[in-house]
Amino acid sequence: MRVCVGTTVHHPEDARITHRQIRALLDSGHEVTFVAPFSHCNVTPRQGIRAVDVPRAVGLRRGKALRAAASALRTAARDADLLLVHDIELLLALPRRRPPTVWDVHEDTIAALGAKTYLPGPVRSVLPPLIRAIESRAERRVHLMLAEESYRARFPGAHPVVPDHTYVPPAPPAPPGDNRIVHVGHISLARGAAEMVEVARRLRPYGIRLDLIGPADAEVRPMLRDAQRAGLLDWFGYVPNNHALRMAEGALAGLSLLHDVPNHRHSMPTKIIEYMARGVPVVTTPLPMAASLVERAGCGTIVPFGEVGEVADAVVRSVLRLREDAERRAEMGARGHAEALNHYHWPAVAGEFVALLERWAQAPDTVPALSPSRTVPA
């Protein structure tokens, strides 16, 4: 099977797209053409794929990226058996003549608008009905694959869920250490950037350092750079997922300090599963799915939502308790690893994912595409 995979929004080393889905397709002997912003992200395409470079869609100016993606997909999909896109924008750039097409729904697009601080107020009010119209039309015209069970509420049809699991080492990693905490993943105000800087400040006298591993929104980068210059933390920027998780191993705790906003409220933070997979105790805010998993597995502690100082206070207390009790943190790490291996190991579902695409590739699909130049009726 020849699969064309496309994104202009996500990083070419995105964990779900590249390290899970594309790897699963390659491991099954399929051919992959990957349309992605390699140059923008300074990424060298991995061996085994046919790479097509396009601009990255960033902020409000996305027209150039969308036009380039439309051209690239039109060419790349000519000899493909299946087209798999990962951005809602690419539903506007699909070629009119194309193979069976799949949209992998990564997030609640409307709920995510609240975190896009670059959007002017008037645009925020216009986008929700437009997004609903695009999603409704997509459900009628392409196959949908959901990353979360909670996304089912947005779509009346029955669509398969391909969960965002991770690779879990078969053997338990080394026990957690006592002088370093980590955060893996995107960094923004809504993901606890200010709280983590304050935590780093308060833990410095105890000799405990914070490693931030992931890209950051523009509005928080100055704060992170200042904290790094002050010696409070190390911010590594974007690191490919497999390397980032190896860097997390041996940490005293992994932080997930997401705020209680619509885009986070009903989702499972992937970073929590990744910490568990690497034997790292979790410290999380009480989002329902995150709190339920951590409590059930006994693999971490839950801190309340609140003002920056209040959250930082609770995190510092949790971290210091963990440092004082090596046996407790080792047990938490071991329980988390066992839970992740038994229930969240990506290879356990990778075969089902590939089989799903193979079935869809055999289905006729002559549905016309949305045109980038047309306005979708609200």
Side-chain angles (χ1 to χ4, degrees):
M1 179 173 66
R2 295 163 296 184
V3 182
C4 177
V5 180
T7 183
T8 59
V9 173
H10 298 279
H11 195 284
E13 287 283 342
D14 179 86
R16 179 175 174 85
I17 299 172
T18 301
H19 293 277
R20 294 170 196 146
Q21 295 185 2
I22 289 180
R23 177 174 167 182
L25 288 166
L26 295 175
D27 288 348
S28 297
H30 298 302
E31 299 176 22
V32 174
T33 298
F34 191 15
V35 177
F38 294 98
S39 294
H40 182 280
C41 298
N42 196 27
V43 169
T44 300
R46 61 173 46 205
Q47 291 185 342
I49 67 167
R50 177 188 169 208
V52 179
D53 192 26
V54 292
R56 193 174 193 185
V58 180
L60 291 173
R61 299 182 180 276
R62 302 190 174 207
K64 179 181 178 182
L66 191 62
R67 289 190 295 272
S71 176
L73 291 177
R74 188 164 54 247
T75 301
R78 282 176 187 161
D79 60 351
D81 300 305
L82 187 87
L83 175 59
L84 172 60
V85 297
H86 291 269
D87 320 331
I88 191 170
E89 292 94 332
L90 289 188
L91 297 175
L92 304 175
L94 297 178
R96 289 187 174 276
R97 297 179 64 84
R98 64 179 191 270
T101 301
V102 182
W103 174 31
D104 185 11
V105 183
H106 286 222
E107 67 176 1
D108 185 334
T109 312
I110 295 175
L113 294 177
K116 301 184 187 301
T117 55
Y118 57 82
L119 291 175
V123 175
R124 290 176 188 272
S125 62
V126 169
L127 282 178
L130 177 62
I131 291 170
R132 279 192 289 269
I134 294 173
E135 290 184 340
S136 176
R137 184 159 180 150
E139 188 173 24
R140 299 192 303 270
R141 295 173 176 253
V142 302
H143 301 287
L144 267 60
M145 183 169 65
L146 313 181
E148 294 267 2
E149 287 285 348
S150 61
Y151 296 166
R152 290 189 187 279
R154 291 161 50 200
F155 303 99
H159 305 291
V161 173
V162 175
D164 223 0
H165 292 176
T166 189
Y167 289 93
V168 185
D178 64 359
N179 63 354
R180 182 175 63 99
I181 59 175
V182 298
H183 171 276
V184 175
H186 196 89
I187 305 165
S188 67
L189 288 176
R191 294 171 182 266
E195 290 86 345
M196 289 190 290
V197 170
E198 185 59 27
V199 165
R201 188 186 324 278
R202 298 186 185 197
L203 286 176
R204 184 181 185 183
Y206 298 95
I208 299 174
R209 195 171 182 84
L210 170 62
D211 286 348
L212 296 178
I213 308 167
D217 282 358
E219 64 181 335
V220 302
R221 289 172 200 159
M223 175 174 59
L224 301 184
R225 293 190 190 106
D226 289 345
Q228 183 160 257
R229 280 194 291 265
L232 300 180
L233 53 82
D234 286 315
W235 175 35
F236 295 91
Y238 184 85
V239 177
N241 186 253
N242 53 341
H243 299 302
L245 297 185
R246 283 199 293 271
M247 291 170 66
E249 287 186 10
L252 171 60
L255 304 184
S256 179
L257 305 183
L258 277 64
H259 293 186
D260 185 20
V261 297
N263 194 36
H264 299 159
R265 195 165 296 141
H266 302 295
S267 296
M268 171 63 73
T270 306
K271 64 172 59 65
I272 288 182
I273 297 170
E274 291 174 334
Y275 296 149
M276 293 166 58
R278 299 294 166 148
V280 177
V282 178
V283 177
T284 179
T285 46
L287 293 170
M289 294 184 70
S292 175
L293 174 58
V294 169
E295 287 181 338
R296 184 176 70 250
C299 62
T301 57
I302 300 165
V303 297
F305 297 118
E307 297 300 321
V308 170
E310 296 169 341
V311 175
D313 235 8
V315 172
V316 168
R317 288 196 300 269
S318 297
V319 169
L320 291 179
R321 283 198 297 268
L322 281 173
R323 190 171 76 161
E324 292 166 2
D325 194 338
E327 184 177 351
R328 178 169 174 258
R329 67 177 183 262
E331 289 174 352
M332 282 185 172
R335 286 195 293 263
H337 174 265
E339 179 76 9
L341 185 61
N342 290 331
H343 300 288
Y344 298 99
H345 190 33
W346 166 252
V349 297
E352 297 173 16
F353 159 73
V354 173
L356 178 66
L357 296 194
E358 289 171 343
R359 289 197 300 273
W360 279 337
Q362 300 302 316
D365 189 348
T366 57
V367 177
L370 298 171
S371 168
S373 61
R374 289 174 53 197
T375 300
V376 181

